[in-house]
Amino acid sequence: MRADPWGLINRAHCYPRLVLAGFRRYSAYRAAMLAGLSTNVVFGLMRVGLLLAVIGERPRVAGYDAAAAVTYVWLGQGMIATVSMWSGFHVAERVRSGDIAIDLGRPWDFQLAELAGDLGRFGYHLVTRMVPPVAFGVLFFPFRWPQRLSTWGWFAVSLLLAVMVSFGIRYLLNLSAFWLVESRGLISIYGVASGLLAGLVIPLHFFPEGIRTILWWTPFPALMQDSLDVFVERGSPLPAVGHQLLWAVLLLLAGRLVQRSAERKLVVQGG
Amino acid sequence: MASTVRAYRRVIGSRLRAQATYRLSFTVELCAQVIAGGLELVTILAVFHNTTSLGGFGRNDVLLMYGLATFGFGLADLAVSQLNHLGELIRTGKFDVLLVRPLGTLGQVLTLDVQLRRLGRAAIGFATLLFALSVADISWSMAKLALLVVAPLAGAVIFSSVWVAACSICFWLVDGREFANSVTYGSSMFNSYPINIFSAWLRRLMAFVVPGAFVAYYPALVLLERTDPLGLPGWLGWTSPLVAVAATAVAGGVWRFAVRHYRGTGS
Amino acid sequence: MSLIEARDLRRTFTLRRKVGRFRRQRHEVVAVEDVSFAIEAGETVGYVGPNGAGKSTTIKMLTGILVPTGGFVRVCGLEPAARRRELAGRIGVVFGQRSQLWWDLPLLESFDLLRDIFRVPRAAHADRLDECVELLEMGPFLHTPVRQLSLGQRMRGEVTAALLHGPRLLVLDEPTIGLDLESKVRLRRFLARLNAERGTTLLLTTHDLDDIETLCRRLVVIDHGRVLADGPLAGLRAEVARERTLVVDLERPVPPLELPGARVAHVENDGSRQHLVFDRERLTAAALITAVAERAPVHDVSVLEPEIADVIRRLYELRESRALPVVDR
């Protein structure tokens, strides 16, 4: 066992820089940002229409009144890019091309470096992709602001954990390219399934009890639904944040183990 | 003309054969498509777990609309989704290569690849349509039967036209794909539901400017013999072939205009 | 009638440049300005100039990809942009950096598809293909998917693909870029033979002076969108680019060598590597090496040919001093 296995002490200074680099890298693609934003808004309008139609004349459905449903939609649309539901699979491409050997050979902890880059991206998207759809919702629809001040703190923590969980899943999917010929297909399946399972398309509370229970044993609700519940103050924030924390830790640890065996594979096969 | 058809037939044939070499990849991607369609279906079922009516329509009515829209969209997806790579073709200069061949540009772009895996989505749509028809209370006539055959085909043509027109934006904006997607995939989702549940201006855009209402909503109203809650006349459901023809003409014009712009600027 | 005729051909682009934080200003960039030349059937013409000189823009206008802003252009008697598809059947185009083959198909199948696309009669197709396969030695990899071919093999396929419909004119945009020496030589030999035996007209852009030397009897030099010089290669070369550089690595450092007919342009490593510039008309490389070896033990030598950029730079200088020997139309 090395004394500083994660390079945390020796190279601690490089990770904040990677965060900054991640922020900057994404800010270069302004047209892509605007295109993504317009898509989020168009789909958001449709989801609002659908949910309000479901609620109809009733005061609330599955615990959602109109304002909570609208808040759920616009916050969710803002979170798509912010927690990076559907992008961030560049590492798999590097595994396929073999460039990953360079990445893993660098004197840094690769997982931590990637996480740092992803947090930088998160920062950028928080401003550019989270705020505008939410602002749109606030301006044009009845919006439900948190009633308790502490909710803001909980939500910040919860959002950060959602990013960690998303990163953890993506990191595992990325590294799966070491073993699976069809990691690309796996990523496609994750892409099409994650939205619904995370509670983006409709609230998970719309599902029958049994399905909900099963879903709660997976990390998917930790990507979105947990954070959305925290914001609209659906019960105590503790179970949601706890669920996210648990999955973030589990996924990051799993990523570490998988990375180690990927490194071993790389050494044995010579890249 | 005959030789052009033959050229395209050969190109498409070779594209299909090329896929056979990647059987595993094909299977996995097909699964992804089926899952994508299946989850849309699950969404509708989950919605109706919480309500009995959406805009005045029941679960089976909505499934009929979803089936019509998704079957049409799936066929369009199969036919024209190569347009998703248009920006890339332009950026890498591959589009220029197409311009030095004695064929039209649109046909060449569409046949760069034919991805049969996209049948997955059409299959889900078709299966849903069959199910919805089996449970719906429809008094059949020859005219309705004809409409049932024609509507998904017209739908495929309408969605394909929307795709062509929307993706033409890439000739101005190489990264325009996501703008186009919000119209193409957006109108697919929009028209899977009764359009009267959406806000008026969104409906104008996604159901009439993008003529998606003629793919599922109006044909479904005819089949179900329902009057339009929006107050438009019932015969609209019979017009989808005409709308398809008009949409094709508009899309062709937009494409030609876009290619002319490209060849006039070389950007 | 000339095979290619361009008169006052002009192409401008409108760019939007950022001014300040949010405002953007349009401004016009002239890529090709009043370019005129005529190419007769059977000619071999090198169209050269530095990056951004307007080479590709001209090629795009000649092949019908790009519509000219102004001027007159006819290729094979057709107006390229207006009759793009018809023209495509009469000319062959090779882009060095863009493949026209199907990457996941065996080479032979790509050729088959092109037969249908260009509507080539079966017999004519078979004849041309056989000839190309033999001359370009493509037999061993005809059944290999294009994505698995080396760049050299792929370029042979690209050239074949452009010739299967029997064009009278072959336009090549940077055909040898990135190729290894052997592949370059093979390709040049093939193209030279194509011109000699079939009379196929060749128009190529390149940065490689050897391409021009072995293939082109005529050179059109373009810079900043204008034709700088147009004339037979032999004359241009003799006048403009006679100077070559001999780089010698010596066993030990010596002071700059003073040799008759050569001057020291550059000294490295305290004098153990020296760059000697000499005139190819007056002195052979062999003679110069012998002369160097008499002064100091030679470890290694190499001869640098003038870069195309140098030729053009010289052309510029000559033009400034009004000593340009060739017609500037």
Side-chain angles (χ1 to χ4, degrees):
Chain A
M1 200 67 186
R2 285 170 292 168
D4 180 18
W6 291 18
L8 276 176
I9 301 158
N10 279 335
R11 306 182 196 284
H13 62 279
C14 89
Y15 300 106
R17 283 201 197 158
L18 286 167
V19 173
L20 212 61
F23 186 98
R24 290 226 185 90
R25 176 166 345 121
Y26 280 87
S27 52
Y29 303 102
R30 193 132 38 124
M33 186 268 287
L34 288 173
L37 209 49
S38 76
T39 309
N40 291 158
V41 169
V42 170
F43 275 84
L45 286 170
M46 290 196 262
R47 285 183 184 140
V48 166
L50 180 60
L51 283 194
L52 292 184
V54 173
I55 293 171
E57 301 299 312
R58 289 173 287 177
R60 52 184 67 228
V61 169
Y64 286 88
D65 60 11
V70 162
T71 308
Y72 154 85
V73 167
W74 291 113
L75 213 55
Q77 290 305 98
M79 281 181 72
I80 295 174
T82 313
V83 302
S84 195
M85 292 288 285
W86 295 320
S87 56
F89 296 101
H90 52 278
V91 173
E93 216 48 64
R94 289 183 73 80
V95 173
R96 275 187 285 274
S97 70
D99 291 342
I100 190 75
I102 305 167
D103 301 337
L104 288 173
R106 289 219 171 102
W108 62 20
D109 181 83
F110 184 58
Q111 189 192 29
L112 215 55
E114 280 292 309
L115 179 60
D118 202 52
L119 288 177
R121 176 206 58 72
F122 163 69
Y124 176 71
H125 282 159
L126 192 63
V127 180
T128 57
R129 298 292 295 274
M130 181 92 179
V131 173
V134 173
F136 188 88
V138 171
L139 281 176
F140 297 106
F141 296 92
F143 197 80
R144 189 192 187 284
W145 293 105
Q147 312 289 303
R148 297 186 292 271
L149 201 61
S150 62
T151 298
W152 287 100
W154 284 110
F155 180 66
V157 173
S158 171
L159 199 56
L160 202 63
L161 285 171
V163 177
M164 302 268 212
V165 170
S166 159
F167 172 82
I169 296 175
R170 284 180 283 129
Y171 195 72
L172 287 173
L173 285 171
N174 275 318
L175 290 193
S176 75
F178 268 103
W179 294 272
L180 298 179
V181 192
E182 268 318 310
S183 63
R184 220 180 297 216
L186 195 65
I187 290 170
S188 312
I189 291 179
Y190 172 75
V192 299
S194 58
L196 185 70
L197 302 180
L200 165 70
V201 181
I202 47 168
L204 294 183
H205 306 286
F206 274 32
F207 284 112
E209 180 70 42
I211 295 178
R212 248 169 31 220
T213 313
I214 296 170
L215 275 177
W216 245 265
W217 286 96
T218 72
F220 289 106
L223 289 168
M224 287 212 151
Q225 189 71 54
D226 284 338
S227 301
L228 297 170
D229 284 351
V230 168
F231 192 87
V232 299
E233 295 168 334
R234 208 186 158 94
S236 155
L238 265 173
V241 172
H243 180 248
Q244 288 181 303
L245 183 65
L246 179 72
W247 276 111
V249 171
L250 283 178
L251 286 163
L252 291 178
L253 281 178
R256 183 141 296 277
L257 288 176
V258 171
Q259 177 186 329
R260 196 157 299 164
S261 77
E263 280 167 339
R264 222 172 296 131
K265 189 175 154 78
L266 209 57
V267 172
V268 173
Q269 299 182 348
Chain B
M1 184 61 201
S3 60
T4 305
V5 171
R6 182 186 150 75
Y8 279 127
R9 220 180 49 219
R10 287 289 316 270
V11 171
I12 292 169
S14 92
R15 300 325 303 143
L16 294 180
R17 274 197 306 283
Q19 268 169 52
T21 44
Y22 301 97
R23 201 159 300 166
L24 179 63
S25 164
F26 174 79
T27 313
V28 175
E29 294 285 349
L30 184 74
C31 287
Q33 292 288 316
V34 172
I35 292 172
L39 290 178
E40 286 170 3
L41 212 50
V42 169
T43 306
I44 294 175
L45 298 179
V47 162
F48 278 99
H49 182 69
N50 293 278
T51 184
T52 49
S53 125
L54 210 51
F57 294 89
R59 189 193 70 181
N60 293 344
D61 304 336
V62 174
L63 285 179
L64 179 63
M65 292 174 193
Y66 172 80
L68 283 169
T70 302
F71 186 38
F73 186 77
L75 293 177
D77 194 15
L78 181 67
V80 300
S81 63
Q82 281 315 304
L83 286 167
N84 279 344
H85 301 293
L86 183 62
E88 205 180 309
L89 287 177
I90 293 168
R91 189 171 40 233
T92 56
K94 277 221 74 164
F95 192 78
D96 290 350
V97 174
L98 306 184
L99 280 168
V100 295
R101 287 186 186 152
L103 291 176
T105 46
L106 181 57
Q108 290 192 73
V109 171
L110 299 186
T111 53
L112 276 175
D113 212 348
V114 181
Q115 299 190 323
L116 271 187
R117 62 184 165 88
R118 299 193 179 269
L119 272 176
R121 191 173 276 236
I124 290 280
F126 186 65
T128 310
L129 185 58
L130 288 184
F131 171 79
L133 290 171
S134 71
V135 295
D137 186 21
I138 297 175
S139 56
W140 287 103
S141 66
M142 281 311 285
K144 278 190 182 176
L145 215 54
L147 181 68
L148 183 64
V149 175
V150 170
L153 297 178
V157 173
I158 291 171
F159 276 136
S160 298
S161 306
V162 169
W163 220 308
V164 169
C167 284
S168 296
I169 195 180
C170 292
F171 286 102
W172 284 269
L173 204 70
V174 175
D175 290 321
R177 176 179 166 174
E178 202 162 349
F179 279 119
N181 281 354
S182 66
V183 178
T184 52
Y185 291 94
S187 67
S188 160
M189 176 186 163
F190 186 93
N191 292 292
S192 300
Y193 290 94
I195 62 171
N196 58 325
I197 65 173
F198 299 109
S199 67
W201 72 264
L202 188 65
R203 190 165 57 229
R204 258 172 239 136
L205 180 72
M206 300 300 252
F208 296 104
V209 175
V210 172
F214 300 90
V215 176
Y217 182 70
Y218 285 112
L221 291 188
V222 170
L223 291 177
L224 297 167
E225 292 180 26
R226 295 279 296 265
T227 50
D228 182 9
L230 299 169
L232 289 176
W235 50 261
L236 276 178
W238 301 95
T239 58
S240 44
L242 294 177
V243 174
V245 171
T248 310
V250 170
V254 171
W255 179 266
R256 267 193 298 279
F257 177 74
V259 172
R260 199 177 311 143
H261 165 83
Y262 172 79
R263 294 173 70 204
T265 60
S267 60
Chain C
M1 193 180 60
S2 306
L3 201 60
I4 299 180
E5 199 178 348
R7 278 204 306 271
D8 303 325
L9 194 57
R10 189 179 166 81
R11 177 70 240 188
T12 57
F13 295 112
T14 308
L15 293 184
R16 262 172 249 262
R17 211 171 29 187
K18 245 174 113 172
V19 186
R21 190 103 179 88
F22 296 108
R23 278 187 48 223
R24 273 155 194 261
Q25 206 172 49
R26 294 162 144 250
H27 73 132
E28 224 163 59
V29 178
V30 183
V32 170
E33 193 169 11
D34 304 332
V35 162
S36 302
F37 58 82
I39 293 175
E40 308 301 322
E43 277 200 276
T44 51
V45 181
Y47 195 67
V48 299
N51 287 332
K55 297 190 300 272
S56 291
T57 305
T58 313
I59 295 291
K60 282 182 183 176
M61 288 193 284
L62 295 179
T63 51
I65 294 171
L66 199 61
V67 183
T69 315
F72 171 92
V73 58
R74 290 288 179 275
V75 177
C76 298
L78 302 171
E79 188 188 339
R83 301 173 75 178
R84 170 183 82 74
R85 289 203 219 177
E86 209 176 325
L87 182 66
R90 300 197 197 174
I91 63 171
V93 186
V94 176
F95 294 109
Q97 317 223 52
R98 298 162 202 175
S99 180
Q100 53 180 320
L101 304 167
W102 284 261
W103 67 284
D104 53 355
L105 288 186
L107 197 50
L108 192 62
E109 240 178 280
S110 279
F111 294 152
D112 257 6
L113 280 183
L114 287 167
R115 185 177 77 76
D116 283 308
I117 289 175
F118 282 89
R119 297 154 204 174
V120 187
R122 201 175 285 275
H125 173 85
D127 282 352
R128 289 182 196 126
L129 182 58
D130 285 349
E131 191 185 348
C132 287
V133 168
E134 194 196 320
L135 291 177
L136 289 168
E137 296 163 50
M138 292 190 298
F141 53 87
L142 264 184
H143 298 278
T144 311
V146 170
R147 65 168 187 282
Q148 290 170 15
L149 299 180
S150 72
L151 185 60
Q153 293 171 331
R154 210 199 75 207
M155 274 318 290
R156 285 184 257 168
E158 299 284 353
V159 171
T160 304
L163 290 173
L164 288 173
H165 53 291
R168 291 172 66 202
L169 168 68
L170 185 62
V171 179
L172 305 111
D173 193 8
E174 303 276 3
T176 56
I177 198 161
L179 292 189
D180 61 83
L181 198 61
E182 196 202 330
S183 302
K184 282 185 185 179
V185 170
R186 191 202 312 264
L187 192 60
R188 285 175 197 142
R189 207 185 300 139
F190 174 80
L191 292 173
R193 188 168 163 167
L194 186 74
N195 172 255
E197 292 183 1
R198 291 262 163 126
T200 306
T201 312
L202 300 180
L203 172 65
L204 64 136
T205 73
T206 182
H207 280 102
D208 190 328
L209 209 57
D210 284 337
D211 285 349
I212 294 165
E213 196 153 26
T214 49
L215 278 176
C216 305
R217 286 187 291 276
R218 177 177 157 199
L219 206 57
V220 176
V221 183
I222 176 170
D223 191 32
H224 291 103
R226 285 176 168 276
V227 174
L228 201 60
D230 179 353
L233 175 70
L236 267 180
R237 181 99 182 185
E239 283 304 321
V240 174
R242 295 193 315 209
E243 290 193 333
R244 311 159 87 190
T245 305
L246 180 77
V247 181
V248 286
D249 282 322
L250 304 166
E251 296 285 348
R252 59 171 189 276
V254 298
L257 295 162
E258 281 178 31
L259 297 165
R263 63 186 165 82
V264 177
H266 185 53
V267 175
E268 286 175 59
N269 303 342
D270 303 325
S272 63
R273 172 178 280 187
Q274 305 202 3
H275 294 240
L276 300 164
V277 177
F278 65 102
D279 187 330
R280 68 160 78 218
E281 302 283 301
R282 301 213 184 112
L283 194 62
T284 65
L288 185 58
I289 292 168
T290 313
V292 173
E294 282 168 7
R295 300 287 187 83
V298 174
H299 179 66
D300 198 6
V301 296
S302 58
V303 179
L304 302 181
E305 293 291 340
E307 301 270 327
I308 199 78
D310 292 335
V311 176
I312 288 155
R313 186 174 46 75
R314 282 292 293 156
L315 273 171
Y316 243 141
E317 290 167 9
L318 287 171
R319 186 154 103 146
E320 294 297 307
S321 60
R322 298 186 179 282
L324 203 64
V326 285
V327 196
D328 177 7
R329 281 183 286 187

